[in-house]
Structures are given as structure tokens and as C-alpha cells.
Amino acid sequence: MQELDHQKTIDILNSIMEFELAGVVRYTHYSLMVTGPNRIPIVAFFKAQAAESLLHAQQVGEILTGLEGHPTLRIAPMEETFKHNVKDILQESLSHEKKALDMYKSLLETVTNASIYLEEFTRGMIGQEEMHNLELKKMLRDFS
């Protein structure tokens, strides 16, 4: 086992926390903006995504404080595109999920062989983010 780089791990966890909190705002916004005949299931999907982003931010925050870090009060920057058709919202969501996946992969690189717990937690989060990417790609298929 190698030594865990606490500061780098804390910094990455804070970035992830900011990003997950931005996801809460993003997915809540999307759930409010969806219109059309498929509105109800898509709204439910985005509300579930918002709740999951909050859960992820809380889980990351617990790890952060366990490492004696200080959880951020910031959220990652978000751009309002004012594009609210379902295809655009799903594409923006896919872009968001790909970035989340990259952030968790960066965390995995930092904690591998230094902390079994952090490695397993991060692998689980990567698995969830990969599933979100697959789900969004399937949802986008009918628009191609």
C-alpha cells in the first residue's frame, strides 16, 4: 500500500461535491422545463437524478470530513443554454454525466493502492455514472 495523498484527495472530493451540487440544481431545473406528451416520465427521471446528485454530494461530504477536509459551500459553474426541448436537455445531461465520470476516474487514480475503502467507494460511483451515461444514450436514440 502507498500513502494516501490527503490534500489531493480532499481537493478532488471538493470538486466532485461542487459538481454533484450543481447537478441538483441542473436536474431540478430540467424537471421544471420539460413539456410535451412524455413530460411525466421524464420529469420523474430528472427529479430522481436531482435526488441522487444530492445523495452523492452528501456521501462525498462525509468522506471529506472523515479525512479532516472542509466541504465546500460552492457549486460548480453552470451555463443556462435556454434550450429546453427534451433532446437538448438529454444531451446536456449526458455531457454533465461524462464530466462526473471523469472526475470520479481522477479520484480513483489518486486513491488506488492507498485506501481500499476510497477505492471501492469510487469504483461504485464510477459504475453508477457509467450506467447513467448508458441510460442517457438510450434515451437519445430516438432523436438521431
Side-chain angles (χ1 to χ4, degrees), residues 12-97:
I12 295 170
L13 287 168
N14 257 321
S15 294
I16 289 171
M17 188 168 173
E18 289 179 9
F19 198 73
E20 292 287 8
L21 289 172
V24 175
V25 175
R26 173 184 301 279
Y27 289 127
T28 300
H29 174 78
Y30 291 163
S31 75
L32 298 168
M33 299 309 297
V34 174
T35 59
N38 298 316
R39 182 177 193 283
I40 292 172
I42 294 172
V43 166
F45 171 78
F46 284 125
K47 284 182 178 180
Q49 291 297 111
E52 186 171 279
S53 288
L54 179 58
L55 176 62
H56 289 176
Q58 291 167 334
Q59 290 172 314
V60 166
E62 289 292 346
I63 293 169
L64 257 166
T65 54
L67 294 173
E68 299 180 18
H70 186 268
T72 182
L73 284 173
R74 295 187 306 268
I75 64 170
M78 290 174 287
E79 179 185 342
E80 168 59 88
T81 64
F82 296 98
K83 295 179 182 177
H84 297 118
N85 68 59
V86 173
K87 181 181 179 186
D88 288 331
I89 290 173
L90 291 172
Q91 286 176 324
E92 287 178 27
S93 298
L94 181 59
S95 175
H96 178 81
E97 293 296 331

Side-chain angles (χ1 to χ4, degrees), residues 4-14 64 67-70 110:
L4 179 68
D5 185 335
H6 274 73
Q7 192 55 56
K8 185 175 181 185
T9 302
I10 287 168
D11 291 345
I12 295 170
L13 287 168
N14 257 321
L64 257 166
L67 294 173
E68 299 180 18
H70 186 268
T110 302

Side-chain angles (χ1 to χ4, degrees), residues 93-103 129 133 137:
S93 298
L94 181 59
S95 175
H96 178 81
E97 293 296 331
K98 284 180 178 175
K99 181 142 196 291
L101 181 58
D102 289 343
M103 295 176 87
E129 298 299 340
N133 277 272
K137 286 176 184 175

